[in-house]
Amino acid sequence: MALHDELTAVQRCVDDLVRSVGRLEQQADGAMAGGALAGVDVRRVRTDTDHLRESVALLRAAAPPPSAPRTEAPPRDFVTIPDTPYDSSLWANAGDLDDEGLGGCDRHAP
């Protein structure tokens, strides 16, 4: 199971535990007159279940969000670049432009 699924299962179990402790607490209140259960013990169990619920909530908040299912990227079209030299007429009117990275013909590179 994924982490998110595990934490959800733990949260359900803790919620069931809290409900069970609530029922136990109600039964203990009725049995207090007979002295069967001490009120302090039931309160301690209630406090422990509340702390457990808070701890699970903190774990769920700190857990990374579930990742989306991966989808494969569509195949890319490749462009083939020929090995033949470029047409020199592309640079026919570029005689007055600087050579790339070197500066002008009458200037020196740094």
Side-chain angles (χ1 to χ4, degrees), residues 55-75:
S55 296
V56 171
L58 288 173
L59 278 174
R60 290 185 73 174
S67 60
R70 290 187 177 194
T71 57
E72 290 188 29

Side-chain angles (χ1 to χ4, degrees), residues 2-67:
L3 177 64
H4 181 69
D5 296 337
E6 292 287 345
L7 287 173
T8 301
V10 169
Q11 183 68 49
R12 279 192 219 114
C13 291
V14 169
D15 291 341
D16 290 342
L17 178 64
V18 168
R19 283 190 291 275
S20 297
V21 169
R23 288 191 299 267
L24 177 67
E25 194 173 29
Q26 289 174 353
Q27 292 174 0
D29 287 342
M32 287 284 191
L37 291 172
V40 174
D41 293 336
V42 175
R43 281 195 307 262
R44 179 179 296 154
V45 172
R46 165 60 76 189
T47 303
D48 289 345
T49 56
D50 290 340
H51 286 180
L52 184 59
R53 177 185 263 181
E54 291 171 7
S55 296
V56 171
L58 288 173
L59 278 174
R60 290 185 73 174
S67 60

